[in-house]
Amino acid sequence: MRAIRRFTVRTVLPEQLAPLDELAQNLRWSWHAPTRELFASIDPDLWSGVGGDPVALLAALGSERLEALAASEEFTGRVRAASEDLHHYLRDPQWYQRQTSASGAELPRAVAYFSPEFGITSVLPQYSGGLGILAGDHLKSASDMGVPIVGVGLLYGAGYFRQSLTRDAWQVETYPLLDPDGLPLAVLREEDGTPAVVSLALPGGRTLHAHVWVAAVGRVPLLLLDSNVPENDEAARKVTDRLYGGGGEHRLQQELLLGVGGVRALRAWSRLTGAPEPEVYHTNEGHAGFLGVERIRELVASGLTVAEAHEAVRAATVFTTHTPVPAGIDRFPKELVSAYFGGDNAMAGVPLESVLALGSEDYDGGDPTVFNMAVMGLRLGGRANGVSLLHGQVSREMFEGLWPGFDAREVPITSVTNGVHSPTWVAPRLAAVEAERLGLDEITAPDASAGWLDASRVPDAELWDLRNEMRGELVAEARRRVRTSWRERGASPAELGWVDDVLSPDVLTIGFARRVPTYKRLTLMLRDPERLKALLLHPERPVQLVVAGKSHPADDSGKRLIQQLVRFADDPEVRHRIVFLPNYDIGMAQSLYPGCDVWLNNPLRPLEASGTSGMKSALNGGLNLSIEDGWWAEWYDGENGWGIPTADGVEDTDRRDDLEAAALYDLIESQVAPTFYERTDGVPGRWLEMVRHTLATLGPKVQATRMVSEYVHGLYAPAAEAGRALAEDQFAAAKGLAGWKAHVRGAWPQVRVDHVESAGIGEAVQVGDRLTVRAYVSLGALSPDDVDVQVVHGRVTEADVIDEFTAEPLTLAESYEAGRHAFGGEVELETSGPFGYTVRIVPRHPHLTSVAELGLVANA
């Protein structure tokens, strides 16, 4: 018999144990080992049975056990100490409170961080893959560093799906419903105790309402909007039913709730808690882009024009793009967006045309019928970045159509390479050794990690024992998961005796776990099955593979890749050397990374924007074996693992896969396995040299603290300063900038370079000579103060393309009638080789963040 309603009854704790509730509700426990150990000590078997969930643990305790714990002075003393430690963590000054901006200005009082998913802990399954895990690590590190971030997302009723396999190895999805009352969440309430409600108008006179749940991620509040509330009709309740579920209109409604509703949730949060309003808004991928439209609406309501409000909003917005391919971007039919922002549903003071213009692909190669969320993010983001150096370059090339006339290198998209939150991902036993012997933690990583190069601190034999222990724990966990998976696939216990011999704690272990889109090439390792078998079954240097990953429910091609891999792993000849573990999540990942000797990543370059799984492996002493893509292209140095050669330029994808798979097999056979198995007194000395080098030199780079500090100083602080500057004196500067841009755009058709003269060099040009340049230009209605006239110079190719260039301003020399002027200057020739130059005119204003911001340039 099915219940018509479900709810969670929470335990009433004795007064002596009351702090346990706060400890359970603050998600710091998910990365703070002492707090987890406290909860585990209450009942180790029950702790394991509830999957390490403190809220579920407390709910499952009987009154007798609670009374016994309350009567224990030793235990209540530990509870008080843990509570005091949490309170110190929450209020004491941290890294951020000791920082100043490069200009000496005050750092942002608050930063809003919007993301469609957040991977904090498997207890709160609101993530599907790397984007969400990155967002979770961002919040956790911001908390550890004292950065005043507020997270904004959606609370999905079923989260992402649970993955299992059929007997025929086909992925099956189930969606266990989540009860918010049973999660470490609290609903945001009005002063009268009723839930705070955020509302959005929908087409047809309908309204979408949402409650706001708050997760405490250490010091960082995470606001999650939930549409499954009594105020909604049935269709509106389903808006937040599943992460990335449903079709186009369902996704659009989710993104409207995230962006527009998210801003309104922030306003309610500040009003009810007294928290400062954010000075910077960070859009993690384009899904939350409508937050800019809502902020424009707010400012228009206060008296600004749409253009003026756009400038004020843009100055204080940071946009991070995560996709290196157009297919990964959300694009909606313009007609659909029009239904939500036009007619009776129009935002007061914000015309539909203004909204559509933000996401319009009005550039060469664009589709005029669609609304592009990434394009809107770039137009609303005064500062934008990719998530690795290579991805920044790929993004500049992908979006250069938005800035016609400029070289891709001048497209205003920088990069901040992703990082990972080490307290979440480093095995507790390794973290304890690092703290005890090296004084190493996440904050001291750049200095203390160098201690790994001193073998006297952690001798080789001890380091090797530690690696062996972690590998052994992975083997035990993999056997448990394989047995569970086969039972779900219909096998009886009598058929599963072989599982006891799955994997070996003494064999070189390679891990591969991630989402399963086609470009990540889950099955590249299967290109030559017989050669892979030979590696797995080598009599002296065997290899074993631990594989995991989910395919999107609608991606049958990805499911077929999983099926192909699982069918290979089911073969009795090799099933003791290769396993596929279903339902990859944070909990599984935390056992995978420490236990793998090598982390494999073989995407189709350059389609991996960053990738962070290999970073987590590296922090645990794993070596990377990867295509040089994403972050690995940036930080592979020949000593921290192996770079798989790529067949760049080979158009035939099958041929390319064959070549790169062969290179992978060669590396494992000739370098990886021999290095692992070459022992002196039972210890692989060369292998451990590479492990130490990885921990010492790569460890600090992959930290999320490094990433967050780059965001703070490189993006948040400048955005806050720009936002303040444009908001001063009732937005006087925003009004001035909007008016100036309108004037420049209107006058630009008359701007041109009329004539360029040069002097100062003879036939035999030498390094050190000075080239004198004089440019005659027409500026029409613009003044010389409105522009920079620049000489652009550098090395040239055989086709006279300036390949590496520098742009230097020329100075005003003379002014003539009819808007004509002469500019001049000198260029010192500093390098030998083919050299060329040209002259161009670009707009100039103190509040522009980039020379390319307006997309206007007049080239000679």
Side-chain angles (χ1 to χ4, degrees):
M1 185 180 300
R2 293 180 63 87
I4 63 169
R5 188 179 172 209
R6 176 186 174 186
F7 53 87
T8 299
V9 181
R10 291 196 172 183
T11 301
V12 178
L13 296 172
E15 183 180 350
Q16 301 93 320
L17 304 180
L20 285 175
D21 187 59
E22 182 183 18
L23 290 167
Q25 291 295 317
N26 192 303
L27 291 170
R28 184 204 184 205
W29 61 258
S30 69
W31 71 89
H32 189 244
T35 304
R36 292 197 304 277
E37 290 163 5
L38 173 67
F39 282 111
S41 70
I42 293 174
D43 187 329
D45 291 337
L46 181 57
W47 174 252
S48 177
V50 297
D53 179 351
V55 174
L57 175 80
L58 295 179
L61 290 175
S63 57
E64 289 186 10
R65 180 57 177 155
L66 289 172
E67 289 171 7
L69 291 169
S72 168
E73 290 188 13
E74 185 272 338
F75 184 77
T76 56
R78 290 172 62 200
V79 171
R80 287 193 300 273
S83 177
E84 290 172 7
D85 179 74
L86 175 61
H87 289 161
H88 279 294
Y89 173 85
L90 295 177
R91 70 168 181 262
D92 289 352
Q94 301 292 347
W95 173 87
Y96 190 81
Q97 285 67 42
R98 299 188 295 272
Q99 303 297 303
T100 55
S101 72
S103 68
E106 179 189 4
L107 290 173
R109 291 185 290 277
V111 175
Y113 183 92
F114 286 67
S115 179
E117 50 178 300
F118 286 91
I120 310 293
T121 165
S122 53
V123 168
L124 190 64
Q126 302 292 305
Y127 59 93
S128 70
L131 180 70
I133 300 299
L134 180 277
D137 282 7
H138 196 108
L139 295 197
K140 294 174 190 175
S141 288
S143 173
D144 291 342
M145 301 167 75
V147 182
I149 280 182
V150 183
V152 182
L154 301 179
L155 181 67
Y156 302 99
Y160 207 47
F161 65 90
R162 183 188 181 280
Q163 178 196 46
S164 59
L165 300 172
T166 66
R167 193 67 184 243
D168 194 35
W170 190 255
Q171 172 181 293
V172 176
E173 305 90 24
T174 54
Y175 294 86
L177 292 178
L178 303 176
D179 177 8
D181 287 317
L183 298 173
L185 299 170
V187 72
L188 181 65
R189 296 186 180 278
E190 298 288 350
E191 293 179 0
D192 62 4
T194 59
V197 178
V198 169
S199 301
L200 284 72
L202 297 178
R206 297 171 60 234
T207 303
L208 173 63
H209 303 285
H211 291 177
V212 182
W213 294 88
V214 184
V217 186
R219 299 165 70 120
V220 171
L222 170 58
L223 313 183
L224 299 171
L225 285 84
D226 174 18
S227 73
N228 186 20
V229 299
E231 296 91 334
N232 280 332
D233 60 34
E234 185 176 354
R237 287 188 182 192
K238 293 181 178 178
V239 167
T240 57
D241 57 353
R242 295 176 183 176
L243 175 60
Y244 302 144
E249 186 165 10
H250 185 263
R251 176 74 70 90
L252 178 63
Q253 290 175 344
Q254 287 188 337
E255 297 188 1
L256 282 165
L257 182 58
L258 174 60
V260 177
V263 173
R264 296 177 185 178
L266 281 169
R267 303 296 178 252
W269 169 255
S270 295
R271 173 174 58 82
L272 294 169
T273 66
E277 294 280 2
E279 292 190 281
V280 175
Y281 294 77
H282 185 175
T283 309
N284 191 38
E285 196 47 271
H287 308 282
F290 290 118
L291 74 88
V293 178
E294 169 64 6
R295 291 173 58 219
I296 288 173
R297 183 201 64 78
E298 291 179 327
L299 292 175
V300 169
S302 71
L304 272 62
T305 67
V306 169
E308 293 163 353
H310 185 179
E311 297 303 333
V313 165
R314 191 174 184 279
T317 301
V318 173
F319 172 66
T320 298
T321 175
H322 288 263
T323 179
V325 289
I329 296 169
D330 279 344
R331 300 159 86 220
F332 299 106
K334 277 190 175 178
E335 292 78 7
L336 182 60
V337 176
S338 298
Y340 282 82
F341 286 98
D344 294 338
N345 222 47
M347 282 185 164
V350 184
L352 172 62
E353 313 84 70
S354 298
V355 176
L356 294 178
L358 293 171
S360 176
E361 294 187 0
D362 52 357
Y363 46 82
D364 287 347
D367 183 344
T369 69
V370 302
F371 185 94
N372 185 310
M373 295 297 288
V375 167
M376 177 170 66
L378 290 166
R379 286 181 173 143
L380 285 170
R383 285 158 180 82
N385 68 283
V387 290
S388 68
L389 276 178
L390 178 59
H391 180 237
Q393 174 188 328
V394 169
S395 298
R396 287 188 288 275
E397 293 170 355
M398 187 163 76
F399 292 111
E400 66 178 318
L402 290 170
W403 293 273
F406 287 93
D407 187 272
R409 284 166 291 186
E410 292 185 288
V411 166
I413 301 175
T414 184
S415 63
V416 176
T417 302
N418 285 344
V420 298
H421 182 246
S422 63
T424 295
W425 303 111
V426 175
R429 69 179 63 218
L430 177 60
V433 168
E434 290 180 324
E436 198 177 299
R437 306 289 182 83
L438 310 180
L440 171 60
D441 59 29
E442 189 182 42
I443 304 299
T444 63
D447 303 318
S449 62
W452 275 113
L453 297 176
D454 181 358
S456 67
R457 297 199 188 185
V458 184
D460 275 2
E462 183 179 352
L463 177 57
W464 186 235
D465 285 345
L466 185 60
R467 292 288 315 151
N468 287 336
E469 288 173 17
M470 294 192 292
R471 189 186 315 107
E473 289 172 356
L474 170 59
V475 168
E477 176 69 5
R479 288 173 180 172
R480 184 188 70 78
R481 289 180 180 271
V482 168
R483 187 179 300 277
T484 300
S485 174
W486 270 97
R487 291 298 304 273
E488 291 179 347
R489 294 173 69 185
S492 66
E495 298 176 72
L496 298 179
W498 59 272
V499 174
D500 293 335
D501 296 319
V502 161
L503 306 183
S504 165
D506 301 316
V507 168
L508 170 60
T509 304
I510 299 177
F512 182 101
R514 49 191 46 86
R515 290 185 304 110
V516 190
T518 306
Y519 78 88
K520 289 182 183 283
R521 297 194 294 186
L522 170 72
T523 56
L524 186 70
M525 62 185 79
L526 301 182
R527 293 298 292 185
D528 186 341
E530 292 307 312
R531 191 161 182 195
L532 177 59
K533 281 185 179 181
L535 291 171
L536 296 174
L537 303 175
H538 194 285
E540 296 159 1
R541 298 191 297 273
V543 172
Q544 58 192 14
L545 280 159
V546 182
V547 185
K550 292 179 176 179
S551 175
H552 188 282
D555 182 8
D556 280 353
S557 62
K559 292 180 184 181
R560 280 190 289 272
L561 295 178
I562 291 174
Q563 185 178 50
Q564 182 184 351
L565 190 285
V566 174
R567 284 176 170 173
F568 179 88
D570 285 350
D571 183 347
E573 186 181 4
V574 296
R575 66 187 180 187
H576 64 299
R577 285 283 181 261
I578 178 170
V579 296
F580 180 89
L581 306 181
N583 205 40
Y584 182 46
D585 65 359
I586 289 176
M588 182 194 294
Q590 288 171 322
S591 64
L592 268 180
Y593 297 127
C596 290
D597 301 292
V598 173
W599 198 257
L600 174 62
N601 189 28
N602 46 231
L604 192 64
R605 175 186 161 98
L607 302 185
E608 183 80 275
S610 179
T612 57
S613 59
M615 295 180 173
K616 296 159 195 162
S617 177
L619 282 174
N620 284 284
L623 303 180
N624 275 265
L625 172 61
S626 177
I627 293 286
E628 290 180 47
D629 198 5
W631 73 274
W632 189 238
E634 197 170 327
W635 288 332
Y636 167 55
D637 66 6
E639 293 291 315
N640 50 19
W642 295 268
I644 302 170
T646 56
D648 294 343
V650 175
E651 298 295 332
D652 184 329
T653 55
D654 283 337
R655 173 68 175 153
R656 179 169 179 167
D657 284 355
D658 286 340
L659 291 171
E660 294 182 3
L664 170 61
Y665 300 138
D666 288 343
L667 273 174
I668 295 174
E669 186 175 53
S670 65
Q671 297 185 42
V672 181
T675 306
F676 181 84
Y677 286 106
E678 185 178 333
R679 311 285 169 86
T680 301
D681 297 327
V683 175
R686 173 60 183 147
W687 187 274
L688 292 182
E689 282 181 16
M690 296 178 71
V691 169
R692 290 184 187 279
H693 176 80
T694 293
L695 291 167
T697 63
L698 193 55
K701 294 177 182 177
V702 302
Q703 298 277 350
T705 45
R706 184 269 315 152
M707 172 188 73
V708 171
S709 68
E710 289 184 16
Y711 274 109
V712 166
H713 287 298
L715 294 168
Y716 295 164
E721 291 176 36
R724 290 173 194 148
L726 265 62
E728 285 178 355
D729 299 326
Q730 284 75 51
F731 295 93
K735 295 173 183 176
L737 181 59
W740 176 84
K741 283 188 175 181
H743 172 58
V744 170
R745 289 190 177 105
W748 202 255
Q750 282 73 51
V751 174
R752 64 181 181 274
V753 179
D754 295 320
H755 178 60
V756 179
E757 296 176 351
S758 62
I761 56 172
E763 292 184 7
V765 184
Q766 297 179 330
V767 172
D769 287 352
R770 303 185 74 85
L771 171 71
T772 299
V773 177
R774 189 175 180 91
Y776 298 89
V777 303
S778 293
L779 300 181
L782 301 183
S783 79
D785 291 336
D786 292 324
V787 301
D788 259 341
V789 178
Q790 299 175 333
V791 55
V792 181
H793 59 87
R795 289 182 174 274
V796 294
T797 66
E798 292 182 358
D800 289 336
V801 174
I802 305 177
D803 193 35
E804 301 173 13
F805 62 84
T806 301
E808 297 183 44
L810 300 175
T811 57
L812 179 65
E814 291 183 73
S815 293
Y816 311 103
E817 294 179 354
R820 297 187 68 244
H821 308 270
F823 288 76
E826 288 187 339
V827 175
E828 183 175 355
L829 307 181
E830 297 178 337
T831 58
S832 59
F835 176 89
Y837 77 94
T838 187
V839 170
R840 70 179 183 184
I841 309 169
V842 293
R844 180 180 65 185
H845 191 281
H847 290 302
L848 293 184
T849 57
S850 159
V851 68
E853 182 172 320
L854 274 75
L856 299 175
V857 60
N859 291 304

